[in-house]
Amino acid sequence: MGKVIAIANQKGGVGKTTTAINLAASLAVLEKKTLVIDADPQANTTSGLNFDPDSQEKITLYQVLIGEGSIAEAVQDTSLDYLKVITSHIDLVGAEVEMINLQDRESILKKAISTIKDQYDYIILDCAPSLGLITINALTAADSVIIPVQPEFFALEGLGKLLNTIKIVQTRLNRGLNIEGFLFTMFDGRLRLHNQVVEEVKKHFDNMVFETVIPRNIKLSEAPSFGKPAILYDAVSAGANNYLLLAKEIIRRNS
């Protein structure tokens, strides 16, 4: 039975999509059967894996959520043998409105994933930078959540709101939801503020913070424009190596 991990933070620009793409690719390189689901209408994971987010040819997550296609039909191959993807589309913006009157609307994604869960070792959900119905669906479907955190003051401000949402989901919708860990992204060890923030969060959350830290890295920024994860764009880059370390840390935690 696969483990479903949501990558969530309602603050934008903290490295959610970068983490979704590169963690999924790293797990696949380590020969773990991995599915990444783009649950963000911006469809950056979709384009970052070299799929056209405007294409109407394939079933996307939108059709799955509104009941116009099965999740099995939406799965597509990628350039990595062990990595599959379910793409997103701008239409996903309208899915929340269309789902609003459906029964058990918070559990639609969970029910869909349950039909394919045993085919994968890991299912990674890239959430939108909001706490809307689709993100609630992702948290309801997930076994755990990775919270990417930029080590800056404003990034920490929104953390309380996200943790409160996770607590509500745990209480009402998904008692089994755990926090997989806080992941520091865009870290610059030369900045005193970054080091202070990391220490502060570690003091509060202790072993919930990943040992692996993702530094600022130009290759991580460049790779999506070539439709590749960093490990295929530049396998020896610091960014690719750090996501590989993160994948190994997650495998170790879950073994």
Side-chain angles (χ1 to χ4, degrees):
M1 184 69 80
K3 179 160 193 179
V4 183
I5 303 176
I7 298 174
N9 192 329
Q10 81 277 15
K11 189 178 187 312
V14 296
K16 279 191 304 295
T17 297
T18 301
T19 298
I21 292 171
N22 290 290
L23 172 59
S26 297
L27 288 166
V29 165
L30 295 168
E31 299 191 348
K32 298 294 179 185
K33 290 178 185 171
T34 306
L35 172 66
V36 61
I37 300 177
D38 191 349
D40 184 351
Q42 294 176 72
N44 290 333
T45 292
T46 299
S47 57
L49 288 171
N50 208 29
F51 291 86
D52 179 6
D54 297 321
S55 172
Q56 302 280 357
E57 291 173 22
K58 287 282 187 179
I59 289 172
T60 68
L61 185 63
Y62 168 70
Q63 282 90 356
V64 174
L65 291 176
I66 64 166
E68 289 185 358
S70 75
I71 195 165
E73 292 174 294
V75 175
Q76 298 186 59
D77 293 330
T78 70
S79 50
L80 286 164
D81 288 345
Y82 284 82
L83 181 62
K84 309 283 186 190
V85 65
I86 292 176
T87 60
S88 184
H89 190 276
I90 189 65
D91 287 350
L92 196 57
V93 169
E96 296 206 354
V97 177
E98 294 180 59
M99 291 160 67
I100 208 79
N101 293 319
L102 297 177
Q103 200 172 4
D104 293 332
R105 59 181 181 267
E106 298 92 351
S107 305
I108 293 169
L109 185 56
K110 182 173 188 168
K111 286 174 185 168
I113 286 174
S114 69
T115 64
I116 58 165
K117 196 174 178 182
D118 59 357
Q119 297 171 31
Y120 299 95
D121 296 310
Y122 292 95
I123 297 174
I124 306 295
L125 299 170
D126 181 23
C127 299
S130 72
L131 296 175
L133 185 54
I134 293 171
T135 299
I136 297 298
N137 258 265
L139 293 174
T140 304
D143 298 307
S144 66
V145 56
I146 290 175
I147 304 170
V149 183
Q150 206 176 342
E152 291 177 0
F153 177 72
F154 289 122
L156 294 181
E157 271 197 323
L159 216 50
K161 196 180 286 186
L162 176 63
L163 291 172
N164 197 41
T165 301
I166 289 169
K167 196 172 282 185
I168 291 167
V169 171
Q170 286 170 327
T171 306
R172 300 181 187 173
L173 299 164
N174 183 5
R175 292 189 183 280
L177 181 65
N178 295 307
I179 293 175
E180 189 77 28
F182 295 89
L183 174 69
F184 282 106
T185 59
M186 304 178 203
F187 177 77
D188 188 339
R190 297 168 300 178
L191 299 178
R192 198 170 80 182
L193 174 65
H194 280 206
N195 287 295
Q196 284 175 336
V197 170
V198 169
E199 286 310 308
E200 194 66 26
V201 173
K202 280 184 175 174
K203 198 161 69 182
H204 277 88
F205 296 105
D206 194 23
N207 61 351
M208 291 167 75
V209 180
F210 285 108
E211 292 167 30
T212 309
V213 172
I214 309 299
R216 288 190 183 277
N217 180 252
I218 190 68
K219 300 298 181 185
L220 285 176
S221 305
E222 288 174 357
S225 62
F226 292 89
K228 293 179 178 180
I231 205 155
L232 290 183
Y233 177 63
D234 186 346
V236 296
S237 65
N241 185 52
N242 278 278
Y243 274 109
L244 204 54
L245 289 173
L246 176 66
K248 288 176 181 174
E249 188 175 344
I250 287 170
I251 292 167
R252 195 167 64 244
R253 284 183 178 207
N254 289 286
S255 61

